Every structure is written in C-alpha cells, then in structure tokens.
Amino acid sequence: MRRILVIAAVAVAVVAGAAWAAGGRSYRVGVLLGSATNLHEGGVVTMNGFPAGTIESISVQDGKAMIRLALDSDRGPLHDGAKLTVEWKALLGERWIEIADGAPGNAVIPDGGMIPGTQAEPMNLDQVLAALDKPTRDHLSSLVKQLDTTLEGSEQDANATLRAAGPALAALGQVLGSIGHDGPAIRDLVTQLNAMVSTLAAHDSDVRAVIDALSRTTSATVGQRQQLATALQLLPGTLDTANTVLGNVPGTADKAVPLLRDLRPATQQLPSAAQHLSPVLRQVPPLLDKLAPTLTSAKQLLEFTPGLLDAVHQTVPGVSETAGYLGPVLNYLRPYTPELAGWVSEWTSNGGNYDANGHFVRFYLQEGATTFGNSPGILLPGTENEPYPLPGANANQPWQDAWGSGVR
C-alpha cells in the first residue's frame, strides 16, 4: 500500500511538472502572514538570493494578510517543505520575500497552492527600553524631558519639519538598502581605499611635490585669466571653423585615396632614387662654394641693370619708329627675296675661285653680235622676251618668298 502511494505521488509530480513545462506561464503560490507591513504589489521575491518573481496581490483573509506570489516559470514548481521568510532590505524602507524550496524528492506543491511563511515580530518601544540598564534609562528620560521642554510651543514647526523630512528619510532608506545589498562591493571598495591611502602615505613627499606643482600651476592659471577669457571667447568661432574643415575632410580623403594609390608605384621607386641622389647631393656644397662669386657678379650686374633698362626704354621708341618707317620698304622687297638669295648664292660661288695670287672673280658677258640687231622687236629663233619676270623666275626658285607665302 505504501509503495502504491509513493508511485502515485511520483506520478502526480511528473504530471504536474510536465503540465507546468507545457503551460509556460507563471507559477503561483499563496502565503498567509500576520501582517503585510512594508510589502506592496510588484515587490521583489527571491529564491536562493536571486530574483524569482514578484508579489502579485495582497488581500485580507480572516484578519490576516493573504499574499499571492507569481514566480518565474523556471523557478517552479516548489516542493513540500518550502518556506517563506520576510526580510528587511535595510533598517528603513520596504521588505522583500525570500523562498527556500523543499527537498526535490518531496511532493510537488500544485499551482495556486499554499506555503508556510514567517516574519520578524515587531519590536515595541517598551521592549527596547527594558533591554537598557537603569542609568541609561534615567539619562534617556532626562533627554526626553529636555526635548519636551525644547519643543514646547513649536509643535507645528516640528510637525512641518517631520513632514518635510519624510522624503529625505525614504531616500536615506533606499541608500541604506542599496548599501545592504552592495555590502561585498563596499567591503572591496574600503579595502582598495585603505590600500590606496597606505600607498599615498608611503609616498608622502611625492604627493606633497605634486600638490606644490599643482598649486603653482593654479597660481599661473589665475595670473593668465584674462588671456584665458579671450581664448574662450574665440573658441566658438574656432570650433565652427574646425567643424567646417572636418566636414570637408571626408570628401578630401575620398579624393586623396585614389591619388595615393596612383602614387604608390612612384613612392616604391623613392628608395632607389634616394640612393642615386646621394652622390648628387655630395656635389652640392662645392657647387654652392663656386656659386658665391657668380652671385657677387650678378649683384654687380643688377646694380647696372636699372640704368641699362632706362637706356633701353629710351631706345625702344626710336627702334619702333624706324621699324614702322622700314615696313613699307620691306613689304615691297619681300616678293623678291628669291632673287636676292640667288644673287648672294651666285656671288659667293663667283668669288670662290682662287689661284696663286688669291681669290678672283670671273665675269662672263653673254652678249654677241646678234644682240645688237637692227630689229629690236624681232626675237631670234629659240628665244623669248619676258619684260616683267615674276619674282623668283631669274633665280629658278619656287614661287614663294622668304615668309613662305605667294606673291601679293
């Protein structure tokens, strides 16, 4: 019979677990407490120190507080023997609920089931005072009487002060709660602070030197406050200019990247070019030494240059006038440049003969008895008369003048 009950309990646990996994919803349990002081809907519920859900609702049942909890799906279901404890977050402020699950082999608590819970009993003032010895109680009574005398006639001010201090005390409670949660971190911080203070104490002279240097720097900064003010006034315009420049940088960089890629082959040749350039650079100092006399002479020449330019300035108008006067003559003689070139060529060849006495010129008279005929209008056979030869005809030159153009 006992074996059958165990098997049935295990089957119920397996079915409940499978149904729970298939549902994928929050696992809800309830607890009945004597008071729900400082608990609120949405409050934190933890399990083994980690967040496990929230307080779903708080209601009154038989003069007690019925608290419904919504746990995360991966935190349920709970097992028989699970316990709930109400913990303080800090000395002041809200509380939270901590759940300790039962043994995994125990029966499963179904969704919506109840679990037992405990909470700290409220501490009365009489119990606190009873824990003190008689001298302490007498001294405390004297302080209370002095406080009563001090506040007499100022009850409204005291009440207003307490009402105004409410938010401050709530904030202090949150700070103390955070300190309670962050105890290990604060302990590590204090330890590191202690180590830092010890290091600073070991380097007291260095710290003093740093502080003295900082003091001198601060004094110098105060002495330059006018310059700093001027610089700060110019800073907005400088920042605007820098912003404009930086705004143009991406476009410039986009254009510069292809240029740098094209320059890569040339830059790869720079080491070898530098090696070949080294001998040339060695010759530069002697060249500069030889250049000094040249520069001295150039300096002397430049001293005469203004006078030379003045003389040229006076001469150029006359040359220009002469060129303008010779222009019509040159234009007239221009078509006959082939004859002039032929005459110079033939004259040079005529004077090229020489004998033992030196160079000589031989003239040939190509005239005969028939030249002086009695019939000047009749030409001899095989001859023709050209009273107006074209330019270049006598010298057998092409029909172009020295400028490369035809007859005008």
Side-chain angles (χ1 to χ4, degrees):
M1 182 65 181
R2 184 176 181 181
R3 180 179 296 176
I4 295 173
L5 293 176
V6 172
I7 294 174
V10 172
V12 170
V14 171
V15 172
W20 173 257
R25 56 188 180 84
S26 298
Y27 173 71
R28 292 175 173 79
V29 292
V31 61
L32 197 62
L33 298 176
S35 173
T37 304
N38 289 336
L39 293 176
H40 62 87
E41 296 181 0
V44 179
V45 178
T46 62
M47 183 179 295
N48 299 325
F50 295 96
T54 57
I55 299 175
E56 186 176 34
S57 64
I58 300 176
S59 60
V60 179
Q61 181 176 334
D62 298 333
K64 294 185 178 182
M66 171 58 71
I67 302 175
R68 295 289 180 179
L69 309 178
L71 303 181
D72 298 337
S73 58
D74 57 347
R75 296 294 184 178
L78 300 177
H79 301 82
D80 191 16
K83 295 182 180 179
L84 180 147
T85 305
V86 179
E87 303 287 351
W88 287 98
K89 279 191 173 181
L91 296 177
L92 298 174
E94 63 177 300
R95 298 183 180 185
W96 92 92
I97 294 177
E98 171 70 17
I99 297 177
D101 193 11
N106 294 346
V108 174
I109 299 176
D111 186 20
M114 299 293 293
I115 58 175
T118 60
Q119 63 183 141
E121 293 293 336
M123 182 67 66
N124 295 324
L125 183 60
D126 293 339
Q127 295 175 341
V128 176
L129 294 177
L132 303 177
D133 55 6
K134 188 176 184 305
T136 303
R137 290 198 301 271
D138 294 341
H139 185 64
L140 182 60
S141 177
S142 175
L143 290 177
V144 172
K145 290 179 180 179
Q146 292 178 6
L147 180 62
D148 180 64
T149 303
T150 303
L151 295 178
E152 185 177 1
S154 302
E155 292 82 358
Q156 295 181 356
D157 296 337
N159 292 333
T161 302
L162 292 176
R163 284 193 298 269
L169 293 176
L172 179 61
Q174 294 177 359
V175 173
L176 294 176
S178 300
I179 293 175
H181 282 297
D182 298 334
I186 294 175
R187 188 182 303 108
D188 295 339
L189 178 61
V190 171
T191 303
Q192 295 176 5
L193 182 61
N194 184 28
M196 184 182 69
V197 172
S198 300
T199 304
L200 292 176
H203 297 80
D204 180 63
S205 58
D206 298 336
V207 174
R208 187 180 299 108
V210 171
I211 293 176
D212 292 340
L214 182 61
S215 177
R216 290 193 295 271
T217 303
T218 304
S219 300
T221 303
V222 172
Q224 300 294 330
R225 60 182 180 273
Q226 183 61 37
Q227 289 80 355
L228 289 175
T230 304
L232 291 176
Q233 292 177 357
L234 299 176
L235 184 60
T238 304
L239 293 178
D240 293 338
T241 304
N243 186 23
T244 303
V245 173
L246 292 177
N248 296 330
V249 166
T252 306
D254 293 339
K255 296 180 180 178
V257 168
L259 178 61
L260 294 177
R261 290 175 181 172
D262 295 338
L263 288 177
R264 181 179 299 173
T267 55
Q268 293 175 352
Q269 302 297 327
L270 288 179
S272 59
Q275 294 177 358
H276 295 293
L277 188 61
S278 179
V280 178
L281 295 178
R282 294 193 190 100
Q283 301 298 327
V284 171
L287 178 62
L288 294 178
D289 294 337
K290 296 179 180 179
L291 187 61
T294 304
L295 294 178
T296 303
S297 301
K299 179 181 178 182
Q300 296 176 356
L301 177 62
L302 291 175
E303 292 177 354
F304 295 102
T305 300
L308 178 62
L309 293 177
D310 293 339
V312 170
H313 182 69
Q314 296 175 359
T315 306
V316 166
V319 172
S320 177
E321 183 179 357
T322 303
Y325 175 76
L326 294 177
V329 178
L330 295 176
N331 289 333
Y332 177 80
L333 296 177
R334 176 181 174 186
Y336 297 96
T337 51
E339 278 80 4
L340 179 61
W343 179 82
V344 171
S345 176
E346 292 178 359
W347 178 261
T348 303
S349 61
N350 289 334
N353 300 320
Y354 67 93
D355 53 12
N357 296 322
H359 289 272
F360 64 89
V361 177
R362 180 179 291 113
F363 293 94
Y364 295 96
L365 297 177
Q366 298 180 1
E367 300 294 338
T370 59
T371 303
F372 304 97
N374 295 323
S375 300
I378 301 174
L379 297 178
L380 296 176
T383 62
E384 60 181 7
N385 183 25
E386 184 65 39
Y388 303 104
L390 295 175
N394 294 332
N396 296 322
Q397 297 294 324
W399 191 277
Q400 289 182 347
D401 59 9
W403 298 97
S405 9
V407 177
R408 295 182 298 172

